[in-house]
Amino acid sequence: PPIPLTTPPRHTTLLGGKGGFGTLLKGQSKQAGARTTLDFGACRDLSGRRLRHVNDEIKLRKWRELKEQRERAAKSGGKLDVDELGALQTPSGIRNWHLMVPGWSEGAAFSNKGKRKIERQLQKEVRGWQSKEDKVRKAKEE
């Protein structure tokens, strides 16, 4: 008996539609009330280094400078006149971000209310550090 030949279908259709996850994200970013990102650590500079690592180097350098100032003030025996609050403030206005903010994120600028809130948080943190240092100093004196 002859074997019947079957031919596969010539037109196959793929399921799915236009766009993908990127299109979904782009659409959400244009919605009213969408939050803009303030985390630029995953971006890279022109030499290919992650901005997070560059920022961490700057933070470490500033911390060392502050530590040296504290040690000099402690050796002189005077009251600590180190500007802790000034050391915590950043040019970008974003906490712990010492680099400049990318141009595409200008919408992420803080309102005056947001700036005041960050200022109060920084002041509270500095007061906490100073009280801990005072406790340690008193314990050493006793």
Side-chain angles (χ1 to χ4, degrees):
I3 300 174
L5 295 175
T6 57
T7 58
R10 292 183 184 205
H11 301 289
T12 58
T13 59
L14 296 175
L15 300 177
K18 277 177 48 175
F21 189 61
T23 305
L24 178 71
L25 290 177
K26 187 176 179 183
Q28 284 182 349
S29 70
K30 293 180 181 178
Q31 290 178 354
R35 291 190 59 190
T36 54
T37 183
L38 297 177
D39 182 17
F40 309 108
C43 299
R44 295 183 184 265
D45 63 3
L46 293 177
S47 63
R49 297 177 61 201
R50 289 213 183 266
L51 293 183
R52 175 186 325 115
H53 300 151
V54 177
N55 189 56
D56 288 345
E57 283 182 15
I58 295 171
K59 283 186 346 189
L60 188 59
R61 186 177 342 117
K62 286 184 177 253
W63 178 81
R64 285 181 181 147
E65 290 171 2
L66 234 115
K67 183 180 175 188
E68 290 172 3
Q69 288 177 2
R70 281 194 213 107
E71 289 172 354
R72 275 188 258 129
K75 285 181 183 177
S76 67
K79 178 73 176 143
L80 291 177
D81 55 345
V82 178
D83 184 18
E84 304 265 355
L85 185 61
L88 285 177
Q89 291 174 337
T90 61
S92 66
I94 300 172
R95 181 180 173 83
N96 282 331
W97 190 257
H98 298 280
L99 298 170
M100 295 310 297
V101 177
W104 51 263
S105 69
E106 290 305 318
F110 292 109
S111 64
N112 285 334
K113 182 178 178 182
K115 288 179 183 177
R116 287 191 303 267
K117 180 181 176 185
I118 289 175
E119 183 75 24
R120 285 192 305 270
Q121 289 174 343
L122 292 177
Q123 289 173 351
K124 183 178 178 182
E125 189 173 334
V126 168
R127 283 193 303 267
W129 289 348
Q130 289 171 344
S131 65
K132 287 178 185 177
E133 288 176 355
D134 291 341
K135 289 176 185 177
V136 170
R137 201 173 305 116
K138 287 179 184 178
K140 285 182 181 179
E141 291 174 0
E142 295 174 350

